[in-house]
């Protein structure tokens, strides 16, 4: 019988609170021989799921080249490595480059999704980001000009032209530029915004403001790291109704009520 194959489990830790880990994420951490996490981004409580004999590695000071030796050991010794990412690994997690290297090494991999901070912030302010007839799309992006270049055509001002809900990551340090581009894109100055620092952490701060006050609000609270901005009309909208649960709507499990169906059609007749 051959040696057991090594594997790397890329685990989404969620926005911060350890009880927002999925069951699958907790099981993955508990199964790992080596747990790699970034103390600068992940709440230490998630390590409570690790085995007592697991090797714990803080990657906050390590480039990817400092993490790869643990993957190489996983190949040589048949180890299971849990690589913990903040939020969801698919968003700004430098995930793809690690998956590519794991494939080159012949390692088995699995990606376990996590709750993103934009979902956590929406929950904190008890708002739906997709309100019927107001916003049916959510743009996840970041401000250009930072450490990682943005591809052509992905400027904040261009996305802002859609006028829908936007979640802006990694942008608070240049709040003036962020506000300027959002306004240039067409959002009115009174567009509602939510600014959230360390969502779901013990020191969480969530502040509402109008877009015209965004930069001043961020600077007043001295926010520049671990801060997410939500913007868009859905953050203050109400009074509309989804067709999904309307008595006049039908689907494979429910028939429409005839009178309600007629009223629904009349309400949306051109």
């Amino acid at each position: 019988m051959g040696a057991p194959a090594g594997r790397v489990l890329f685990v989404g830790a969620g926005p911060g609170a350890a009880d927002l880990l999925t069951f699958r994420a907790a099981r993955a951490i508990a199964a790992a021989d080596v747990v790699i996490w970034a103390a600068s981004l992940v709440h230490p409580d998630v390590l409570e799921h690790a085995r007592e004999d697991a090797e714990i590695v803080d990657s906050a000071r390590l480039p990817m080249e400092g993490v790869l030796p643990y993957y190489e050991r996983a190949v040589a010794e048949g180890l299971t490595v849990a690589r913990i990412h903040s939020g969801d690994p698919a968003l700004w997690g430098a995930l793809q480059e690690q998956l590519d290297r794991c494939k080159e090494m012949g390692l088995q991999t699995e990606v376990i999704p996590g709750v993103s901070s934009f979902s956590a912030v929406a929950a904190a302010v008890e708002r739906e980001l997709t309100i019927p007839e107001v916003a049916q799309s959510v743009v996840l992006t970041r401000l250009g000009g930072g450490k990682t270049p943005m591809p052509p055509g992905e400027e904040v001002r261009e996305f802002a032209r859609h006028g829908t809900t936007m979640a802006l990551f990694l942008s608070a340090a240049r709040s003036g530029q962020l506000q300027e581009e959002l306004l240039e894109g067409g959002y009115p100055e009174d567009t509602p915004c939510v600014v959230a620092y360390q969502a779901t952490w013990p020191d969480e701060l969530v502040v509402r403001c109008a877009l015209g006050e965004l930069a001043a609000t961020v600077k007043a609270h001295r926010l520049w790291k671990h801060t997410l901005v939500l913007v868009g009309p859905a953050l203050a909208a109400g009074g509309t109704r989804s067709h999904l649960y309307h008595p006049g709507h039908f689907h494979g499990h429910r028939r429409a009520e005839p009178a309600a169906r007629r009223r629904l059609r009349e309400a949306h007749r051109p």
Side-chain angles (χ1 to χ4, degrees):
M1 182 179 296
R7 59 179 182 154
V8 179
L9 309 175
F10 294 96
V11 180
D19 57 358
L20 284 176
L21 281 174
T22 65
F23 288 119
R24 185 177 298 184
R27 287 195 298 266
I29 296 170
D33 303 295
V34 180
V35 177
I36 303 175
W37 73 302
S40 57
L41 298 172
V42 177
H43 197 283
D45 285 355
V46 303
L47 298 179
E48 293 177 2
H49 297 283
R51 301 195 322 249
E52 289 187 4
D53 63 337
E55 181 177 356
I56 309 297
V57 179
D58 182 2
S59 63
R61 297 180 181 272
L62 299 177
M64 188 173 74
E65 286 74 11
V67 173
L68 293 178
Y70 295 97
Y71 297 171
E72 293 166 355
R73 277 182 52 203
V75 175
E77 302 174 29
L79 302 177
T80 293
V81 177
R83 177 69 164 96
I84 302 178
H85 286 256
S86 60
D88 185 283
L91 297 174
W92 296 283
L95 174 66
Q96 193 59 52
E97 59 201 63
Q98 296 181 79
L99 289 170
D100 292 343
R101 296 302 296 271
C102 287
K103 183 177 181 180
E104 293 171 3
M105 295 179 191
L107 277 167
Q108 297 179 17
T109 55
E110 179 183 354
V111 180
I112 299 171
V115 176
S116 177
S117 57
F118 83 90
S119 296
V121 175
V125 295
E126 298 187 348
R127 296 300 310 181
E128 182 179 352
L129 303 182
T130 54
I131 302 292
E133 302 178 45
V134 176
Q136 288 291 284
S137 303
V138 181
V139 177
L140 312 180
T141 191
R142 50 175 283 267
L143 191 62
K147 297 178 181 178
T148 302
M150 293 289 282
E154 292 196 12
E155 292 82 9
V156 164
R157 64 172 60 85
E158 296 302 320
F159 287 128
R161 300 190 195 283
H162 294 287
T164 189
T165 307
M166 289 182 67
L168 296 130
F169 296 73
L170 308 170
S171 303
R174 287 168 293 132
S175 58
Q177 180 186 346
L178 178 61
Q179 177 178 317
E180 180 181 346
E181 291 201 22
L182 290 168
L183 290 170
E184 287 177 1
Y187 284 115
E189 288 202 359
D190 62 353
T191 302
C193 297
V194 175
V195 180
Y197 167 79
Q198 295 275 70
T200 79
W201 289 60
D203 57 346
E204 171 189 85
L205 174 67
V206 179
V207 182
R208 290 176 177 269
C209 67
L211 176 54
E213 303 166 348
L214 176 61
T217 300
V218 171
K219 290 173 182 176
H221 293 280
R222 300 181 180 180
L223 304 178
W224 61 285
K225 294 176 65 177
H226 311 306
T227 301
L228 177 80
V229 176
L230 296 179
V231 59
L235 296 171
T240 61
R241 182 171 182 180
S242 168
H243 288 187
L244 180 59
Y245 297 106
H246 193 287
H249 178 73
F250 65 91
H251 53 64
H253 297 275
R254 189 182 71 231
R255 300 183 66 176
E257 297 177 8
R261 181 70 175 165
R262 285 194 299 270
R263 290 195 298 270
L264 191 61
R265 286 177 173 176
E266 290 171 0
H268 293 276
R269 186 172 294 162

